[in-house]
Amino acid sequence: MQFNINLAGEIPAARRVMCFASCLLLLITSCLTVAAQANGEVKGKLIGNQQGPVAYASISLKSAEGKVLKGTLSDSLGLFVFTGLNDGNYQLSISAMGFKSFNGPLFKLQEKLDLGQLILTEDATALKGITIQAQKKLIEQTIDKTVLNIENSILSDGNTALELLQKAPGVKVDDDGKISLKGRPGVMVLINGKSTYLSPKELSTLLKGTNSNSISKIEIMSNPSAKYDAAGNGGIINIQMKKNKAIGLNGTVNLNGGSSRNARYGGGLNLNYRNQQINVYGSYDYGYRGETEYLDFTRRFYDGGTIVEPASRTSYQDTKTNEPLHTNNFRFGLDYELDSTNTLGLLINGNVGKYTHDSQTGNVFKDAKNAVLSRMMTTNYDKQNWENLTYNMNYQHKFKKEGRLFTADVDYASNKFTSRLNLNTTTLAIQPGQNESITSRRGYVPAVTDVYLAKVDYEEPLGKTLKFESGLKSSFTNADNNLTYDILTNGTWQHDKNGSNHFKYKEQIHAGYMNLNKEFKGFSVQAGLRAEYTHTIGHQLTTDSLQRRSYLQFFPSIFVNKPLGEHHQLQLAYSRRIERPDYGDLNPFRVFRDPLLFYQGNPFLKPELINALQLSHSFKGKYTTSISYNQTKDVMTWVNGQIDELNTTFEMPQNLTKLVNYGVSFTASTNFFNWWTGTHFAEVFRNEYSGTAQQTSFDNSTTSFSLNSQNTFKAGKGYTMELSAYYYSGSVYGISSYKSNYEVSAGVQKTLLKEKASLKLMVNDIFQSNRYREQTVFQQINMYMNKRPDSRRVMLSFSYRFGNQNTNQSKRRTGSEDIQQRIKGGS
């Protein structure tokens, strides 16, 4: 069979969006000829204490009498400029999240004045008579993103990257590792600015094996610009790994150990050497995470096809799962400065590990009168191994003109995954004369996915108040997944043709984007447009079924920033984004958890499209309020189904008609006392799902809220304490609903050896309250799940820094940013 699907019907609407965006960009450009020519000019650049630019800081220009004359924001490079000024005396006022508000002394302007670099550091720094005080906080909130400074946190040590995300404001991680942001599913996770090339489940495994000691910070962007790939309907989370560029040799060594229901331990080494021309860096982390998880699962079956109590049969299932995980993460990088304008780089990232799923399940079936119909005991032993290697070569050219930059990247990623499954079920005798029966199934899944990628980016200032950015990107993906099942029959393993499946998938994505940033009098605008052409071929060799898809989509974005006086700032943001199915979700093979529960892909899944709108207000860089509205078409969700006559339950992904998400959030940075600082987040949002599942229309909606509080206490004599807590109310996902959960964690740190070393003790989920409770009541389906993860743990960690730590580096971002997250090797 062959299916040819052409989504050309999407293009007319996209052309209308393209026309609108083009007119908008033309309008912005034409304004250049209208703007008044300036005589006097003041400009400068804001630099943070990590030698990186301070972007989107609020800067006010005041008269000698203190009256606010103009306001602007620093751009993504930390640059700012005021034009159209008369000669005279002025002063600056700067407000940026993570830095103390600053009111500078008077300076005299005669035609033009370049203030140079204004450096914001943690210590007082004098620069041209200006003193700026800075204090880096655990969580920094700007108008366009939230930044978690992980290396400053006590509670981060001994945790994994996934556990850190669970504590991030507005972020929720469900029991399967799927991540949502402000109630929106489909979040794209980047590591060092590039995608992981993994499916959500495999990404969850990777993040569980990534030690927090190797993470510098986490950036959360709910509305990215056109420069980023259009993938990720829920937004983008970028995990930045530690990388130092101090002159000479320097590094960090760390160790951690502790226990939850099982032992956990790990360690790592981070090294860097730099001279005037070469920067060489590398790191290695090993982690072992022992975990025991408990699951209670109740399913009710009705003979009439509808829910009429009492149920004809009820399944009571309890599962205990041991999940030991070993991970090895390593990377090596080399930056070579050919001359003052050209830099060549090489980067290798690796993740090699093994994971074992070892579960014992008891299942009791009872009739409507509570009489036992059957008892089954199932053991599921699944040994998984993976090897993910990514190679990147990059080139950067800085032109003589300040701000003009060209970069190029070439990536190759090799992903190998194997799974060896043994599933044995014993049906026990419940009446005299009955005999036990045993069924056995084994599976072998070799999966290989190769990704080839190339991209170029160019940016240039066009005059004093306009910046242009553009780029091209192409990716090619080949995935091969061959699932083989055997069934034990009369002591002989027989090939299971119905359960086995060989699936190959090829994908090409070609993209281009353009961004314009324009500073007007009193406000700034960034408008962008991204175009992506996608061509896919899915070939199911087992049934010789071939499916092709080709579609072109346009993704406009616009951001308007408006300072309102010295302390207030507004931003209006709109973007259109896409979420493509990952390769495993398209593969129709079945993965069995036990004989009566399996998961299955859907080769007919369509990509989902979202229109996201957000209005934000920031006050003094400390308090941010955001109102958002998002509508997703063809939203992909996992939907439960039942085969009543076989007492079997399954899950498979399906496109629903739409998801409407809207809400309001508030973030506050507090400093009640010199010894107590904190960041607090609150949100209220509503999710409304609608569509057709199991050939029945439905609507499922609810209003949810969440709270998140992170507090740091300085106790003196090198002691620091942290207390964090979060709460999530009930929520909905597809046809299912989730109950509330919360978590409280605490930790203490002591600096040692002249502040080069630190010893940290933390207790996570003190009350062991982090549970996942899901209920589905739809048509004849009535099921309830209660999962109790291994979340309460005590960890002790030690880290030591050596070598020169005074000068920090710039971060290198590579090219692949949207493919890896969607690879699935059959896990």
Side-chain angles (χ1 to χ4, degrees), residues 305-561:
T306 58
I307 297 178
V308 178
E309 298 295 347
S312 304
R313 298 171 307 284
T314 302
S315 165
Y316 300 96
Q317 179 177 315
D318 61 273
T319 302
K320 176 183 178 182
T321 305
N322 289 312
E323 301 177 280
L325 172 70
H326 300 262
T327 58
N328 299 270
N329 293 288
F330 56 89
R331 68 187 179 121
F332 169 80
L334 170 66
D335 296 324
Y336 180 68
E337 295 185 6
L338 304 174
D339 52 41
S340 60
T341 60
N342 296 282
T343 301
L344 191 63
L346 171 68
L347 179 61
I348 301 174
N349 281 310
N351 175 255
V352 179
K354 59 181 180 179
Y355 163 80
T356 302
H357 176 101
D358 184 7
S359 65
Q360 295 81 40
T361 300
N363 197 335
V364 178
F365 270 91
K366 295 185 177 181
D367 63 15
K369 297 181 179 180
N370 210 33
V372 175
L373 298 175
S374 67
R375 293 182 185 270
M376 293 185 293
M377 298 295 297
T378 299
T379 61
N380 184 339
Y381 188 84
D382 185 5
K383 189 175 182 179
Q384 302 175 6
N385 297 81
W386 67 89
E387 178 185 288
N388 302 325
L389 298 174
T390 303
Y391 306 88
N392 167 263
M393 289 189 64
N394 54 79
Y395 169 75
Q396 177 178 278
H397 176 73
K398 295 180 180 179
F399 295 86
K400 293 182 179 180
K401 181 180 179 181
E402 183 179 359
R404 191 178 180 190
L405 183 67
F406 172 82
T407 61
D409 288 85
V410 177
D411 286 67
Y412 166 66
S414 171
N415 302 271
K416 299 178 181 179
F417 173 88
T418 59
S419 170
R420 293 173 174 84
L421 167 71
N422 286 278
L423 190 68
N424 300 300
T425 299
T426 301
T427 302
L428 304 175
I430 59 174
Q431 293 181 0
Q434 287 185 336
N435 296 320
E436 292 183 353
S437 62
I438 300 177
T439 60
S440 297
R441 174 188 293 270
R442 69 182 183 186
Y444 176 61
V445 186
V448 178
T449 304
D450 293 320
V451 180
Y452 306 86
L453 184 145
K455 84 181 195 87
V456 294
D457 293 281
Y458 176 78
E459 56 186 62
E460 179 181 5
L462 301 177
K464 301 171 183 177
T465 60
L466 180 67
K467 180 183 177 184
F468 172 76
E469 295 177 317
S470 65
L472 298 171
K473 179 178 179 181
S474 290
S475 64
F476 302 84
T477 302
N478 296 316
D480 190 338
N481 189 309
N482 189 5
L483 171 64
T484 302
Y485 275 125
D486 296 324
I487 298 176
L488 187 63
T489 304
N490 298 322
T492 304
W493 289 105
Q494 302 289 333
H495 179 61
D496 181 9
K497 295 182 179 180
N498 295 326
S500 302
N501 186 64
H502 191 184
F503 182 73
K504 289 187 176 182
Y505 181 85
K506 294 184 178 181
E507 177 186 82
Q508 299 180 31
I509 300 177
H510 306 285
Y513 76 90
M514 179 179 65
N515 265 338
L516 281 176
N517 294 269
K518 170 63 181 171
E519 297 282 344
F520 295 94
K521 290 184 177 180
F523 70 98
S524 64
V525 176
Q526 174 182 292
L529 181 67
R530 187 178 186 92
E532 293 189 353
Y533 170 77
T534 305
H535 176 69
T536 65
I537 300 176
H539 189 190
Q540 191 175 346
L541 277 70
T542 305
T543 59
D544 194 25
S545 174
L546 188 69
Q547 182 174 338
R548 300 176 185 265
R549 281 183 176 170
S550 298
Y551 51 93
L552 174 66
Q553 293 282 357
F554 294 93
F555 304 97
S557 64
I558 184 169
F559 302 83
V560 180
N561 292 286

Side-chain angles (χ1 to χ4, degrees), residues 650-669:
F650 64 89
E651 282 189 68
M652 67 181 300
Q654 182 176 323
N655 289 109
L656 304 182
T657 302
K658 67 178 179 179
L659 163 64
V660 176
N661 163 273
Y662 51 91
V664 58
S665 64
F666 177 72
T667 305
S669 296

Side-chain angles (χ1 to χ4, degrees), residues 45-46 52-57 73-80 144-145 227 459 467 469 517 519 526:
K45 183 174 183 178
L46 300 184
V54 179
Y56 310 117
L73 298 175
S74 59
D75 64 14
S76 60
L77 298 176
L79 300 171
F80 68 91
D144 66 327
K145 65 182 176 182
K227 185 174 183 178
E459 56 186 62
K467 180 183 177 184
E469 295 177 317
N517 294 269
E519 297 282 344
Q526 174 182 292

Side-chain angles (χ1 to χ4, degrees), residues 671-682:
N671 192 356
F672 298 116
F673 304 97
N674 291 333
W675 50 269
W676 180 9
T677 60
T679 301
H680 318 282
F681 175 85

